Amino acid sequence: MTDTPSSTGEPLSQLTFDNRLVKQLPADPLRDNYPRQVPNAIYSFVNPQRAPAPQLVAYAQDVAALLDLTPEDCTSERFVQVFTGNELLPGMEPHATCYGGHQFGQWAGQLGDGRAINLGEVKNRQGEHWTLQLKGAGPTPYSRTADGNAVLRSSLRELLCSEAMHHLGVPTTRALSLTLTGDQVQRDMFYDGNPEWEPGAVVCRVAPSFTRFGHFEILTARGEVDLLRQMADFTLRNDFPELGPPGRDSYIALLKEVCVRTARMIAHWMRVGFVHGVMNTDNMSILGLTIDYGPYGWLEGYDPGWTPNTTDAQGRRYRFGHQPQMALWNLLQLANALYPLVEDAAPLEAALDEYRREYLRSFQRDSVAKLGLPEYRPETDDKLTEDLQRLLPLVETDMTIFYRCLADFDPLVDQAEDSRSDAQLIEPLLPAYYSPPTEEHQQRTADWLRQYRERLVQEWVRTGLDQRQRRERMNRVNPKYVLRNYMAQQAIDAAEQGDFSEVYRLLELLRNPYDEQPQSQRYFARRPEWARRRPGSSMLSCSS
Ligand code: AMP
Ligand code: MG
């Protein structure tokens, strides 16, 4: 392997590949690219389709750095050709993988990388492996009846949100680049018989691996237990070496670890107000990463029943408040998939219990961290946090603004009595309300603030924390800037007209979501009224 700096060679020539998945797991023997069932294989070799006129829209500098790429590499002609799928670098072995999944509660059979093509695994200077995956670079054997393409709007949503999530501290796949192919792609955005032509685009996603629950499910559903064992062993060796050599104990440990990581990921989603929208088991990462950004959304008004996905509007299976349960349901499917390797339900059930424990632990810790309290004390905090959960949805209250403003509520700890009126108490919170609070709501909120104040006083006497420290702590867990749905849509509208400046602005803003950024204060505002019913801002579908 060479480690040539790019300045001495062609752009990107410093990338070296170590394609462990291709090396270690069995391939589909067929090389022809047509839709089919692919039994007895983990992946199929497939080349990206040719893009007529590749153009770079944006790249993420932090992801480029992970791959040891310089800004010169990322703005080179070679970069745009490679990451739109027109050129392969030495060492790349493009392939699409086979997986299945439960979609909206039903077993859906083989799905697979229908429009994702893995280029290979980069081994960076630190020895880390990063898989590069093009999304939207053409059909694969797993495309079923679809075209393998992606459009600009959904690709931009993926780029912006995966990077925003990373900087919020939420485990996620990353995005290196977004390019236009120069092709037009037809999409019927709301499946209502109104197809339109949209610009075709490709995102290069980056993660240590893209293994999903569905990779295991499909093998068990087909009775391919040998292959299931190979897949589990491969995952243990490469993604979870700390769990020890492959074997019955480490298969159980694997499920337990996936439970813990998934619990932490979901707790993060609940902390920042993220709704994935399509938590099917084919969209669940074995590494506990947020993956497959489709019709996701961010809570504006705090509403546990909200889902951004119009395709899920009926059952609202994947609504905000249901995500913790849905993750457990998905983990149960993973446990079933691993059962043939363990052949004993008890340890698998024990692993699932670990999800419940870890989720509760993380959720409780985050709930009080959001209030500036260092630890969860059930005797006071069960009631304090439950009362707040009940209070927030009563009137339309912007979640992000509420918590950020709550840090400005001064508990006046030095004063024995708090003589402020209801109106005075809730004053700092007013920017969070979509309509002026009624007297009754004011009173309920003030009552809660008094209960909260009491808890803070108790804590401060014990720890000596002061208001400045409390504010700082709160502002480290309660983001100031999130990717509100209308913000993404505005960037899309401009980008579709060839103006990418809003994309760059948002990428930069969302790199520091917890920081005060006075020049960007306009993004710290309630959703504008026009966005309430605008497609893309309030209504999203799986069409992408
Ligand atoms: P999703 O709902 O985006 O997670 O996709 C579910 C399955 O459909 C996955 O196997 C995708 O690869 C596949 N898929 C979605 N859109 C397309 C497309 N335009 N072309 C080919 N396959 C697709
Ligand atoms: Mg998917």
Side-chain angles (χ1 to χ4, degrees), residues 335-490:
N336 287 337
L338 295 175
Y339 180 84
L341 303 180
V342 177
E343 291 189 318
D344 181 4
L348 296 174
E349 280 163 14
L352 292 173
D353 280 339
E354 202 52 47
Y355 171 84
R356 293 191 186 87
R357 256 195 301 279
E358 183 62 31
Y359 179 73
L360 189 65
R361 203 169 22 231
S362 305
F363 177 74
Q364 290 180 333
R365 191 200 48 229
D366 289 349
S367 304
V368 293
K370 287 178 80 64
L371 302 178
L373 296 163
E375 63 174 331
Y376 195 87
R377 310 190 141 220
E379 59 288 5
T380 46
D381 300 344
D382 280 349
K383 180 166 181 335
L384 183 69
T385 53
E386 280 162 24
D387 285 355
L388 181 59
Q389 296 295 308
R390 269 195 289 273
L391 182 68
L392 286 175
L394 290 181
V395 300
E396 199 178 3
T397 310
D398 192 278
M399 177 178 173
T400 304
I401 301 179
F402 178 87
Y403 279 102
R404 207 62 192 194
C405 290
L406 191 61
D408 294 329
F409 162 72
D410 189 344
L412 303 179
V413 172
D414 302 336
Q415 301 180 20
E417 279 293 307
D418 188 343
S419 57
R420 287 173 291 183
S421 68
D422 291 354
Q424 282 170 327
L425 279 170
I426 82 156
E427 157 89 32
L429 301 177
L430 293 180
Y433 297 114
Y434 280 84
S435 45
T438 60
E439 203 159 314
E440 192 209 333
H441 191 70
Q442 237 181 47
Q443 191 197 325
R444 291 185 71 151
T445 307
D447 286 348
W448 182 82
L449 285 170
R450 291 190 183 97
Q451 181 187 339
Y452 176 39
R453 174 182 186 266
E454 204 172 300
R455 175 72 172 90
L456 288 172
V457 173
Q458 176 203 63
E459 193 63 35
W460 291 5
V461 168
R462 207 172 60 84
T463 61
L465 263 183
D466 63 20
Q467 166 65 0
R468 191 183 53 78
Q469 290 166 321
R470 163 179 169 259
R471 218 172 155 275
E472 270 176 24
R473 273 169 177 271
M474 288 176 73
N475 289 349
R476 278 202 301 269
V477 288
N478 297 318
K480 172 132 185 173
Y481 302 107
V482 296
L483 182 64
R484 292 169 183 273
N485 310 312
Y486 82 89
M487 285 162 56
Q489 188 56 42
Q490 282 180 326

Side-chain angles (χ1 to χ4, degrees), residues 28 53 250 258 286 325 343 374 413 500 519:
D28 170 10
S250 51
V258 180
I286 206 80
Q325 274 147 277
E343 291 189 318
V413 172
F500 307 140
Q519 73 289 2

Side-chain angles (χ1 to χ4, degrees), residues 99 103 111-112 115 135 205 212 276 278 280 282-284 291-293:
Y99 56 80
Q103 298 188 313
L111 298 165
R115 55 165 163 181
K135 182 173 179 180
R205 311 200 277 199
R212 300 151 189 265
H276 183 285
V278 206
N280 294 331
D282 51 306
N283 292 338
M284 297 291 292
I291 192 171
D292 274 15
Y293 290 88

